[in-house]
């Protein structure tokens, strides 16, 4: 689910000296997203991120008021990136609606494989950690999931329109079911370091729709 | 999913002074399980647990070599507790096999409700956090989930025997599907502080089996 790679600091060209503040901000955010998809918020130290990209603490506070503000920005960025990914598959008219969901799931497995199943979903990680996170993250994370769900619901409505799923299927509920279970599948894939849980979940979900 | 309450230190009777080491160990473990179901491992400080139950650090190291050893023991204890809960429902012969699974899910919702959806599943929390945890936890957590799955598989086999689900249903795969998705449902219930995700997942899972 995570293709946003942390860009290592370019050799011989310290980000700060370049005077390009937008670039520094971007480097910070990429490193932050990578850390949050891998370890979550609580286990990620700000110092460790700053050190990994060679940005001094003073610079960080030029961009973000706090670790909380930084985290909130990372949720926004990840959500924006992920919506593009969802749309790339779910709006692909060369496939039937259910094939689009299938393609999305297969791509997610390739995405996790690329990082050897070390990285999961930033939203799932932070959702799991909510008990230890700033309360402001709760609504933000929920809204992201509801947005992803709405896109799946529209795709399932199209599946209904072309007769791929039953006419009386509750698309909204099925889309909720998918995202509830899919975050569990990503969690399990990360735990077991294999794509099998993603495949089990996707296959049985799609099979139950097709039957 | 979590009914192991943290026992507050008894008034006017410091755990240590009682000289009852077994009791102190138990108090520590209860507080540890409560913290891990709520906040996970990374966000839980040892000092905070010790302070909450009034146990000095020296005492802690009498029982556990490290925070890692403590965490491993908490996984074992939680798994043992949870297996009893699963068996209470899944071996209840007054219900049909699918009704047992339904009853398990309903009880889980009541369990989460009791703590106002602040606590989730210790195994799900730590599974999500694996990127930041001692590597030794990985196999331990996976084995716990496989054990829970095996119990569900046996129940689904019984559902097949009494004709509640299709004869060609793959009980092992369905049990895996349940636990993959269920951990996602617990995560989401904790995030949204409502039992709705548990109900959505359980209802659609059971409906797909019955159709």
């Amino acid at each position: 689910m995570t293709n946003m790679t942390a860009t290592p600091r370019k050799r011989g060209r310290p980000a700060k000296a370049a005077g390009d503040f937008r670039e520094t901000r971007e480097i910070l955010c990429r490193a932050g997203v990578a850390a949050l998809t891998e370890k979550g918020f609580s286990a990620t130290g700000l110092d460790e991120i700053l050190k990994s990209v060679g940005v001094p603490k003073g610079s960080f506070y030029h961009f973000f008021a706090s670790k909380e503000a930084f985290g909130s920005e990372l949720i926004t960025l990840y959500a924006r990136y992920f919506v593009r990914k969802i749309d790339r598959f779910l709006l692909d008219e060369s496939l039937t609606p259910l094939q689009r969901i299938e393609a999305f799931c297969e791509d997610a497995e390739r995405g996790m494989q690329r990082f050897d199943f070390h990285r999961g979903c930033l939203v799932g990680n932070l959702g799991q950690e909510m008990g230890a996170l700033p309360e402001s993250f709760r609504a933000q994370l929920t809204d992201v999931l509801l947005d992803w769900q709405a896109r799946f619901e529209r795709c399932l409505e199209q599946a209904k329109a072309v007769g791929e799923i039953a006419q009386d299927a509750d698309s909204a509920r099925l889309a909720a079911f998918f995202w509830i279970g899919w975050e569990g599948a990503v969690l399990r894939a990360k735990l077991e370091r294999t794509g099998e849980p993603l495949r089990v979940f996707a296959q049985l979900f799609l099979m139950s729709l097709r039957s």
Side-chain angles (χ1 to χ4, degrees), chain A:
Chain A
M1 304 195 62
T2 58
N3 294 347
M4 285 177 97
T5 43
T7 310
R9 182 157 70 86
K10 293 186 188 83
R11 230 178 261 274
R13 183 173 169 249
K16 195 163 183 301
D20 186 343
F21 285 109
R22 214 179 54 181
E23 190 190 351
T24 305
R25 195 179 197 280
E26 214 177 291
I27 287 170
L28 275 172
C29 289
R30 279 174 188 269
V33 166
L36 263 47
T37 54
E38 187 162 338
K39 302 196 298 178
F41 195 78
S42 304
T44 296
L46 203 48
D47 289 339
E48 163 199 348
I49 292 184
L50 297 178
K51 207 177 152 193
S52 76
V53 293
V55 171
K57 211 159 199 167
S59 257
F60 175 84
Y61 287 108
H62 177 78
F63 298 111
F64 304 101
S66 61
K67 191 184 170 195
E68 175 173 350
F70 184 44
S72 173
E73 172 74 7
L74 298 180
I75 297 171
T76 301
L77 287 174
Y78 184 82
R80 198 179 297 158
Y81 145 80
F82 207 77
V83 148
R84 281 197 301 269
K85 181 198 273 283
I86 289 175
D87 284 353
R88 191 164 71 243
F89 290 99
L90 266 54
L91 303 179
D92 178 355
E93 302 208 337
S94 73
L95 301 172
T96 71
L98 288 195
Q99 283 172 346
R100 296 174 204 172
I101 293 178
E102 202 165 14
F104 164 84
C105 294
E106 286 166 2
D107 176 75
E109 183 178 347
R110 282 190 300 273
M112 287 192 75
Q113 175 96 60
R114 199 172 308 134
F115 294 102
D116 205 16
F117 297 98
H118 277 297
R119 296 188 190 168
C121 173
L122 186 146
V123 174
N125 283 352
L126 270 60
Q128 190 75 288
E129 285 185 271
M130 253 325 291
L133 299 191
E135 196 53 36
S136 65
F137 288 4
R138 194 183 300 278
Q140 204 184 349
L141 293 167
T142 302
D143 286 349
V144 171
L145 287 166
L146 292 178
D147 176 44
W148 296 350
Q149 265 177 220
R151 288 163 205 268
F152 271 67
E153 180 184 347
R154 286 196 287 277
C155 186
L156 289 168
E157 278 298 304
Q158 290 172 4
K160 203 189 279 188
V162 301
E164 260 187 316
I165 65 172
Q167 290 306 304
D168 62 351
D170 184 338
S171 301
R173 210 166 165 81
L174 286 168
F177 179 82
F178 177 84
W179 275 103
I180 288 168
W182 186 249
E183 288 293 351
V186 172
L187 182 172
R188 188 73 173 269
K190 201 156 54 103
L191 170 61
E192 298 192 7
R193 308 273 309 274
T194 154
E196 179 71 8
L198 302 174
R199 283 195 298 275
V200 169
F201 186 81
Q203 284 169 7
L204 267 72
F205 175 74
L206 290 165
M207 207 173 73
S208 77
L209 288 181
R210 282 175 173 137
S211 68

